[in-house]
Amino acid sequence: SQTIHQWPATLVQPVGSPLSLECTVEGTSNPNLYWYRQAAGRGLQLLFYSVGIGQISSEVPQNLSASRPQDRQFILSSKKLLLSDSGFYLCAWRTRQLNTEAFFGQGTRLTVV
Amino acid sequence: QKEVEQNSGPLSVPEGAIASLNCTYSDRGSQSFFWYRQYSGKSPELIMSIYSNGDKEDGRFTAQLNKASQYVSLLIRDSQPSDSATYLCAVSRDTGRRALTFGSGTRLQVQP
């Protein structure tokens, strides 16, 4: 069966510090991968998506970047965090097949102080 | 206009009642439709998916899709206090990025 791992679960970082969040998927190959952010009491905002190794598309201009160094690994990064980067970050995957669902990792609660 | 709209609630129903959650979407090219449940501080959990017009039932849950009206709904029968959560409606195309676009969610409270 497929599983998705995302870590860390919580993170408190000072303004101006770097960020690296990692997500890995098991049990499937060549998935579409996504990073979402959820602000408190809000819906999920798509940040990045990837359809293959090294292929990253950004949905919103921001202080973050993403990379996909391996087929089932997706990394979210920042060189210098801002207070506005605080939120709940979620990695998700979806197969290429039609009529399939997206599944989420456990999420990372990031607080920038 | 938001791409996916939901009433934020809270929707309060007594235990054992039917909870009705609604969602409208703006992209007529949407082909896949989902309901996720999210408990406070947790990641979204898939409840139902629906891909064609009509009703789809799974246990106490029924999803309804009307593409002509761009409307999706979720019915929860015999609501339980454990159903208290935020319910997120999501839609996607099945081409290109295939990313899900989410509504802001409806908070459901089931009163014991």
Side-chain angles (χ1 to χ4, degrees):
Chain A
S1 64
Q2 301 92 347
T3 57
I4 179 169
H5 303 281
Q6 186 182 343
W7 66 93
T10 59
L11 195 58
V12 180
Q13 292 284 96
V15 169
S17 64
L19 173 73
S20 180
L21 303 180
E22 188 165 341
C23 168
T24 60
V25 181
E26 296 178 356
T28 187
S29 58
N30 203 24
N32 282 6
L33 296 173
Y34 308 91
W35 279 110
Y36 286 88
R37 177 171 61 199
Q38 186 176 34
R42 306 290 293 275
L44 279 69
Q45 178 189 30
L46 179 66
L47 301 177
F48 300 95
Y49 70 94
S50 172
V51 299
I53 296 174
Q55 299 179 60
I56 308 295
S57 295
S58 174
E59 287 294 302
V60 293
Q62 58 206 327
N63 186 41
L64 303 169
S65 62
S67 62
R68 184 172 178 175
Q70 300 181 42
D71 180 46
R72 290 172 288 177
Q73 184 185 27
F74 205 20
I75 298 171
L76 183 70
S77 304
S78 174
K79 293 182 179 178
K80 290 185 178 182
L81 285 168
L82 306 172
L83 287 174
S84 57
D85 292 324
S86 294
F88 191 38
Y89 288 82
L90 291 154
C91 180
W93 72 274
R94 194 178 186 193
T95 71
R96 304 295 182 86
Q97 297 171 334
L98 295 179
N99 297 348
T100 57
E101 300 85 4
F103 298 95
F104 287 85
Q106 67 174 21
T108 297
R109 177 77 56 192
L110 172 66
T111 304
V112 183
V113 297
Chain B
Q1 181 189 8
K2 293 182 180 178
E3 294 181 71
V4 180
E5 296 212 45
Q6 296 180 252
N7 189 319
S8 61
L11 173 65
S12 185
V13 300
E15 184 174 355
I18 295 175
S20 178
L21 304 160
N22 305 313
C23 169
T24 58
Y25 61 95
S26 61
D27 182 2
R28 285 196 172 274
S30 299
Q31 296 160 292
S32 299
F33 306 86
F34 309 93
W35 284 98
Y36 287 82
R37 177 176 63 197
Q38 187 176 29
Y39 293 112
S40 180
K42 302 296 184 181
S43 66
E45 170 193 13
L46 181 69
I47 297 296
M48 291 285 289
S49 59
I50 187 166
Y51 306 102
S52 55
N53 280 329
D55 295 358
K56 179 182 177 182
E57 184 175 322
D58 184 1
R60 296 187 295 113
F61 299 96
T62 299
Q64 299 174 317
L65 173 61
N66 184 325
K67 289 185 179 180
S69 300
Q70 296 176 250
Y71 176 87
V72 193
S73 67
L74 178 71
L75 299 178
I76 306 174
R77 290 180 298 281
D78 188 24
S79 295
Q80 302 297 308
S82 59
D83 294 326
S84 298
T86 296
Y87 289 79
L88 300 170
C89 173
V91 308
S92 82
R93 293 186 172 223
D94 272 338
T95 55
R97 64 182 194 177
R98 300 183 70 240
L100 274 61
T101 300
F102 285 83
S104 56
T106 298
R107 188 156 61 95
L108 173 65
Q109 296 176 338
V110 181
Q111 306 296 334

